[in-house]
Amino acid sequence: MTQTNSSLPTDFIREIIDEHLRTNRYRGRVATRFPPEPNGYLHIGHAKSVCLNFGIAAQYGGACNLRMDDTDPSGESLEYVESIINDVRWLGFDWEDRLFYASDYFEQLYQFAVQLIKNGNAYVCSLSADEIREYRGTLTEPGKESPYRNRSIEENLDLFEQMRAGEFEDGAYVLRAKIDMVSQNITMRDPVLYRIKRTHHYRTGNQWCIYPMYDFAHCLSDSIERITHSICTLEFENNRPLYDWILDQLKLDSHPQQIEFARLNLSYTVLSKRRLIELVGKGSVTGWDDPRMPTIAGMGRRGYTPEAIRNFCTKIGVAKNDSIIDMALLEHYVREDLNERAPRVLGVLRPLRLVIDNYPEGQAEEFDSPYHPQNPELGSRKVPFSRTLYFEQEDFMENPPKKFFRLAPGREVRLRYGYLIKCVSVVKDPNTGEVVEVHCTYDPETRSGFAPDGRKVDATIHWVSADHSVPAEVRLYDRLFKVANPMGEESDFTKYLNPKSLETLVTCRVEPSLATAKPGDRFQFERLGYFCVDLKDSTPQKPVFNRVLTLRDSWAKISGQEKK
Ligand code: ATP
Ligand code: MG
């Protein structure tokens, strides 16, 4: 992707639009649409399409419609419609009063089909699905004409009406476009436009027993809504001649330009509704909004921000050839955003008791601690300190190797926001020999974190006061798949699921200010990573935090941008 001087994105799609504006093809209008089928939740690939369509409309002073592409009733539902509406809104886009349903066009689409029959451009075919496939030919062999191709217009009109009236079994007839059985483009070999399918539709109920195919419904829906640029993914490239053919035969004055771009693929996950449905159905995840899912709902629950997702989608740009984007890049944008805005707090994931022997029993004090080192607007809070603390098990070693700089017997470290402490003894479980309590002394002269005599320590550790802290559950997430390309050779992608994608810690302690955190609030737990209060399971009595990401930016490392 290249940047213009005005720093607005430019790419081959915008170049096409610029050309249309120059030649006045759409009288200066730019109208796009995002057309999801409500047969699953939106994923990050859809987010790319959302950002592209709404972004282009905004950039050119046009409008973007949200359209439910609900012409195939199997698998579609109101739950999915609602999730799509929520997710597009959460991403930060507004379709105003332009929420449309392709199913609202069923009568109009039917009339368009009748018109095609009347023009001699469509016929009712009695071949079975298998026969149609057989007659279609292959990439190297031409197709064969259907024996029903030359039915009279009257007969076709009559049969089509009976199809609609429910007089035939499912599959007994289809309506096909009469184009060219020897076309180089297989899509143009008399494609099916309508089929009989007795399936309840979540909006139109049992009103229809024939449903239009995508290729027929999509171009016409675009035309009805007077879309100018119909942006879709590359797999529809071969369908573009059919898109144009239908609109041309019907002589519609609104003829949008279809433009294809490469779909987003992300490493360590799968982006296909069919596969995601399988994960949900098999119970491999807890639902569509499981924080490990690449869905908008899952990423939102995990703690990703809409800003980070939008930023990612803009920065990766659009291309004409398929590629796999590194998940680390998306994570990089999430960290970049959270680094700016997440308040810093203290939490301990695997607590170990720490007693400060020379700190008076029953005494407590508070450290006034800023929420963000560079952003004073986030304010500060008081962090209570007392004789008994919890700190991280992994910050202590009884017999430390050379490279271990944190707490160990005889060693002095800094407590974040507070004193220098020195380890004087440990208490062990008599049965296991495990260290269960660490005893320290503190230096009252070091409240600022520094010693007046200038002596240095090698580590600063995080902690919470035992009596003041709040118990919490923390869910540590890792990537859903253990290989970069789970769709690789093997057909069963589920065997690459990462068995360690979720670790639940139930004995965590967090600083008391977090008792009032609300679901969806995001924080940086110092030294540990970014965490988000779970939207579903967190309660004031027992807060639940999802780890959004660790602090380590593997993308910065890969791309050599690591600031150190
Ligand atoms: P899936 O392949 O995941 O089942 P789909 O293409 O069937 O998705 P739709 O609901 O038809 O899902 O998609 C709505 C819009 O989002 C379409 O315009 C489609 O091209 C676009 N889209 C879907 N997946 C991606 C992706 N991975 N990257 C970019 N755009 C996508
Ligand atoms: Mg689709």
Side-chain angles (χ1 to χ4, degrees), residues 35 37 39 69 214 235-236 273:
E37 182 178 4
N39 60 352
D69 191 8
Y214 172 89
E235 68 270 24
F236 293 105
K273 275 187 277 193

Side-chain angles (χ1 to χ4, degrees), residues 129-145:
D130 284 342
E131 289 167 329
I132 289 179
R133 204 170 308 121
E134 223 171 279
Y135 275 65
R136 186 174 296 133
T138 63
L139 281 173
T140 50
E141 288 166 62
K144 272 194 314 196
E145 291 190 355

Side-chain angles (χ1 to χ4, degrees), residues 203-231:
R203 289 187 92 233
T204 59
N206 295 324
Q207 199 184 330
W208 292 88
C209 65
I210 56 171
Y211 290 98
M213 303 300 286
Y214 172 89
D215 282 322
F216 186 68
H218 203 84
C219 56
L220 290 168
S221 303
D222 283 344
S223 177
I224 289 168
E225 293 176 19
R226 309 195 74 77
I227 299 303
T228 57
H229 298 88
S230 177
I231 301 168

Side-chain angles (χ1 to χ4, degrees), residues 51-121:
C51 292
L52 187 60
N53 281 293
F54 280 92
I56 283 179
Q59 180 179 340
Y60 287 94
C64 179
N65 298 350
L66 177 58
R67 181 198 312 147
M68 299 301 156
D69 191 8
D70 54 358
T71 54
D72 180 358
S74 37
E76 295 174 355
S77 75
L78 202 57
E79 180 199 343
Y80 293 138
V81 168
E82 285 165 0
S83 74
I84 290 167
I85 288 174
N86 286 337
D87 291 347
V88 178
R89 195 170 281 145
W90 181 84
L91 279 170
F93 297 102
D94 185 7
W95 51 90
E96 296 166 336
D97 58 352
R98 298 179 313 279
L99 168 59
F100 300 115
Y101 294 84
S103 57
D104 283 349
Y105 309 143
F106 278 163
E107 182 60 39
Q108 248 172 307
L109 296 175
Y110 178 84
Q111 295 305 334
F112 281 130
V114 167
Q115 192 57 50
L116 281 184
I117 297 173
K118 285 183 178 165
N119 295 352
N121 296 133

Side-chain angles (χ1 to χ4, degrees), residues 402-419:
K402 267 219 178 76
K403 290 250 165 81
F404 186 85
F405 298 112
R406 292 163 273 168
L407 200 59
R411 191 172 297 167
E412 190 171 47
V413 298
R414 178 183 297 110
L415 291 176
R416 180 67 170 136
Y417 301 129
Y419 297 108

Side-chain angles (χ1 to χ4, degrees), residues 331-342:
E331 295 170 346
H332 166 79
Y333 286 111
V334 175
R335 285 192 183 91
E336 186 180 74
D337 189 32
L338 292 180
N339 181 43
E340 291 288 317
R341 59 160 94 199

Side-chain angles (χ1 to χ4, degrees), residues 367-381:
F367 299 119
D368 194 23
S369 314
Y371 271 123
H372 198 287
Q374 283 96 39
N375 187 354
E377 272 165 42
L378 287 181
S380 66
R381 83 290 187 196

